Structure formats: structure tokens, C-alpha cells
Amino acid sequence: MGQTEELSYNSKIEGDVVLTTMDSAINWMRKNSLWPMPMGLACCAIELMAASCARFDIARFGAEVMRFSPRQADLLIVAGTVTYKMAYAVKRIYDQMPEPKWVIAMGACASSGGMYRSYAVLQGIDQLLPVDVYISGCPPRPEALLDGLLRIQGKIDADPSLRRLKRAA
């Protein structure tokens, strides 16, 4: 009958070589392995925890390693109501994080103070920290957090300061 088709998966690698630059490999790893520092201050923290469960699986985006040490984290997720009493603790944690670092304001309270218009609640964490992505909702769904992670990854891809200038050939 002639030639037979190979129906099984050929797992041998014969001479295939992947060429890349060190900068692009580091940026790919940085984008796909964010280490978040969760700052769960209210009910939004429950949704943040739910995002790491099997149903939503934050591991698909490389952010399942929650770091509770600011010196090991590169993404601060502020989830919930930030009071003035906690605001400077959040600022201190942000300052201890190494560069480059990003911030997600998760929920209406972290973004704008939410329904709390009082002297004790900070009206948005952006008064203290530069926020990269705002996630709306009260509380936002875990899918919204995953969308926020995708937006952070897009910002990392688009940020020219994370890439060196390519040498002219």
C-alpha cells in the first residue's frame, strides 16, 4: 500500500534550536510569572482568594505564587477598603517592593473609597500609590481579577523601559 502514516506523537527533538535574546527571555518570564503581594483589607479579599481556586485557576496566568513578603513580590493587589490607619502600612509595603513593580486596585473601595464617604476611609489608593489597573465592582468577581492580570501583562509587554534598545546590525 505504500507509505504509512505515523499516528503516535513523536517526542524526539532532533536538532531543533530555539534562538532568542536574553532580554526577551527575561521579559517573557517577568510577564508570565508575576508574584503578587495580596493586601486583602475587606470583602474583596475573599474574591482574591477565590481566584486561586480550581474553578478560576490563577495559575494559568503565572500568578499563583502569592508572596507575603514585599521583597519577593512585584505586583501589589490592594483589595478592599483602605482606611487612613492602614494607608501608610500599605505605602510602606509598596516602598519595600523591588523595581519593577505594579499595583492593582481591586474593588470600588480601593479604587475610589466605595460607599464609605467618611473621614476614616481613603478615597482611592491612587492618592498614595501609582495604580496600573483598576478593577471595578463591589466586590469584583474573580474573573475581573484575571482580566486585570491580563492587562498588567499587556502593560509589561508594551513598556519600553523594560527592554533594552536593539543593536543596529
Side-chain angles (χ1 to χ4, degrees), residues 133-154:
V133 173
Y134 295 92
I135 299 174
S136 63
C138 183
R141 298 277 307 146
E143 296 95 341
L145 176 61
L146 298 180
D147 182 59
L149 284 173
L150 289 174
R151 291 179 189 272
I152 289 286
Q153 288 177 345

Side-chain angles (χ1 to χ4, degrees), residues 32-51:
N32 292 307
S33 64
L34 291 168
W35 286 3
M37 167 77 187
M39 182 56 72
L41 300 170
C43 48
C44 290
I46 303 299
E47 300 297 323
L48 173 61
M49 288 183 254

